[in-house]
Amino acid sequence: MLLGKMIEKDFKYRDVRCVIVFDKDYFYRCGYVVLDHKPSQEAMDDFKCNGGVTFEGWGFNVINAPSEKFVIGFDCNHCWDVPDMLAGEEYLGKEQFEKIMEQRGDYFQCMLMPDMFETKSLHSLNDCIFDLKSMVDCLYKEGDIYE
């Protein structure tokens, strides 16, 4: 049984739509910036976000972005990222959370084990907000968006 994704936060920063999606199956986040145009490659190369840009394209149904909008995103499901178990339990409720843990316990044990990376970290909702704002600031700095 897959539960899918939910929009955890949808906000405007400097008149740019920013969206954070929470995956209710694996308890990780993705962040997206929604634009009227495709920014320069130079601007996107300067983005500082968790793991770098992992999505770019015109439109995106998951966040209700129409095809005339350009969407750039990052995810927090890398081998160095820790699933946000507390948010998972909060959003699903205790009973549903326990079912997911039964079904995917091996996955979560693997994601929480120490490995070749010295530190694993949880990319929180606030961390994602920070990354999205940083991406928007970068677009202004590079001249891809004007105030």
Side-chain angles (χ1 to χ4, degrees):
M1 163 181 58
L2 293 176
L3 301 173
K5 300 174 186 335
M6 63 175 257
I7 293 178
E8 188 174 24
K9 187 160 184 76
D10 193 332
F11 65 99
K12 288 247 183 174
Y13 175 68
R14 297 181 78 173
D15 208 31
V16 174
R17 182 175 176 222
C18 301
V19 183
I20 299 169
V21 171
F22 187 80
D23 185 291
K24 296 187 289 185
D25 295 298
Y26 295 99
F27 312 142
Y28 68 92
R29 294 177 174 86
C30 298
Y32 302 96
V33 172
V34 182
L35 304 166
D36 292 326
H37 67 286
K38 182 177 180 176
S40 69
Q41 189 61 49
E42 293 80 24
M44 290 195 293
D45 288 345
D46 287 344
F47 287 159
K48 304 287 188 264
C49 54
N50 187 59
V53 172
T54 55
F55 179 87
E56 61 178 270
W58 292 99
F60 192 42
N61 289 340
V62 171
I63 61 169
N64 303 313
S67 61
E68 63 272 6
K69 298 290 185 178
F70 195 78
V71 180
I72 305 166
F74 64 90
D75 71 81
C76 304
N77 193 28
H78 305 282
C79 54
W80 60 82
D81 291 316
V82 173
D84 192 340
M85 311 296 268
L86 293 175
E89 186 172 11
E90 177 186 335
Y91 294 139
L92 297 179
K94 187 174 178 75
E95 185 178 322
Q96 189 67 46
F97 177 78
E98 288 175 356
K99 284 181 188 175
I100 293 290
M101 293 306 295
E102 269 181 41
Q103 295 170 352
R104 298 183 185 88
D106 291 343
Y107 165 81
F108 290 114
Q109 282 182 349
C110 179
M111 289 298 288
L112 296 171
M113 285 173 45
D115 60 10
M116 66 188 133
F117 295 97
E118 288 183 23
T119 59
K120 288 189 169 216
S121 64
L122 168 71
H123 215 66
S124 70
L125 177 62
N126 285 334
D127 294 328
C128 289
I129 291 168
F130 179 85
D131 283 356
L132 291 170
K133 288 180 175 182
S134 170
M135 291 168 71
V136 171
D137 289 341
C138 185
L139 291 168
Y140 275 95
K141 181 180 142 236
E142 293 293 330
D144 272 291
I145 300 177
Y146 303 99
E147 292 191 83

